[in-house]
Amino acid sequence: MRIASFSGGKLRPFFSNSFRELKNGKIENLIIDLRENTGGSITVSGKLLRYLIDHPFTLADTVAAVSRSLQYGKYIQPDFMYKVAMLFTTKKKSDGKYHYTGLENKVHKPFKRQHFTGNIYLLQGGFTFSSASMISAFLKGQENVTIVGEETGGGSYGTSAVYLPTIILPNTRLQITLPLYRIVFDKDNPKTGRGTMPDVLIPPSSISIKEAFDPKLKSVETLIDKHKPVH
């Protein structure tokens, strides 16, 4: 299952149909490729987690912005949409920040009917960011999950996300994207300043690129073959 983004693409019905087929086909091994996934909707990412994770979870302890006034809004097109959204979805708390309370500390339970209980192999890399890196952080250490590849680009402690406005720089007219919210997955996790580390480390290789060879996928195939029952 290659997921290049958590934005667009009618992912909710895709997940539902896919996991129904996996259950009906009695599939025992699932490879999820997030190596090109730089993120997107955390609610959609959370939807995927509910098919995979083996316990109830919260998407975040903290989802907060330092301001909702957008001081340089004239360089954001359109800034009005973000101002209105933040006005009605955030609440100022004692820390002085504006919290998106609808996402904080809300408990999500794993799906029952189409939950995948087989072996999960998660492919990740340096381009695995934001809500994609959240998948890795939440599944790390789960008994039936093996993470293969490189350290995620996104942090294991948290990320920046929710609203991603495009900012047009006034002189160069270059367009950049800067998230408005800081997200902390679990405040009790250590602040290492690092991404989620794989269980099986396979660093990038110029030789594999030259020869159009995928060592990460080959490693997963080897792991699956190793655990096949002998008849």
Side-chain angles (χ1 to χ4, degrees):
M1 182 183 291
R2 175 175 168 265
I3 308 171
S5 173
F6 284 113
S7 297
K10 298 181 179 179
L11 288 170
R12 287 180 175 86
F14 167 72
F15 293 150
S16 178
N17 294 334
S18 296
F19 283 95
R20 183 184 304 111
E21 290 297 319
L22 289 170
K23 184 172 183 178
N24 291 341
K26 298 181 180 179
I27 302 301
E28 298 179 353
N29 299 288
L30 172 62
I31 304 171
I32 300 178
D33 191 344
L34 299 178
R35 288 177 290 179
E36 302 165 279
N37 194 319
T38 56
S41 168
I42 62 172
T43 55
V44 174
S45 177
K47 179 87 168 183
L48 175 61
L49 268 174
R50 294 181 68 188
Y51 290 102
L52 305 172
I53 202 165
D54 61 6
H55 59 275
F57 65 98
T58 58
L59 289 173
D61 287 334
T62 305
V63 183
V66 296
S67 173
R68 59 186 180 192
S69 63
L70 300 182
Q71 182 179 357
Y72 299 99
K74 63 181 179 179
Y75 302 119
I76 300 173
Q77 302 297 329
D79 71 312
F80 178 76
M81 176 183 68
Y82 295 107
K83 288 180 179 179
V84 172
M86 295 181 77
L87 178 64
F88 287 101
T89 60
T90 63
K91 179 180 179 181
K92 190 174 183 179
K93 293 190 175 182
S94 58
D95 60 1
K97 296 182 174 61
Y98 294 88
H99 289 252
Y100 197 133
T101 54
L103 293 176
E104 289 183 338
N105 299 308
K106 182 179 179 181
V107 177
H108 301 270
K109 295 181 179 180
F111 289 121
K112 292 183 179 180
R113 293 181 58 187
Q114 297 171 8
H115 190 263
F116 187 80
T117 58
N119 300 311
I120 300 169
Y121 298 91
L122 189 62
L123 297 178
Q124 66 178 33
F127 283 100
T128 307
F129 277 98
S130 194
S131 58
S133 65
M134 183 182 77
I135 297 288
S136 299
F138 279 62
L139 293 179
K140 174 73 173 180
Q142 186 167 303
E143 186 176 0
N144 64 329
V145 175
T146 303
I147 300 178
V148 177
E150 308 156 41
E151 178 182 358
T152 58
S156 61
Y157 180 75
T159 186
S160 298
V162 186
Y163 296 142
L164 308 171
T166 297
I167 300 173
I168 304 173
L169 300 181
N171 295 322
T172 63
R173 309 305 295 174
L174 287 173
Q175 297 186 18
I176 61 174
T177 299
L178 287 177
L180 297 180
Y181 289 85
R182 176 177 181 262
I183 297 178
V184 175
F185 301 141
D186 185 345
K187 64 182 183 302
D188 294 326
N189 285 342
K191 296 181 182 180
T192 62
R194 302 292 299 269
T196 299
M197 303 303 294
D199 301 310
V200 180
L201 175 63
I202 302 179
S205 165
S206 59
I207 296 176
S208 63
I209 295 173
K210 178 181 179 181
E211 297 180 354
F213 173 71
D214 190 340
K216 297 178 178 67
L217 186 58
K218 183 62 179 178
S219 174
V220 171
E221 292 174 350
T222 301
L223 288 171
I224 292 174
D225 288 337
K226 182 180 178 180
H227 290 96
K228 281 183 177 179
V230 179
H231 298 286

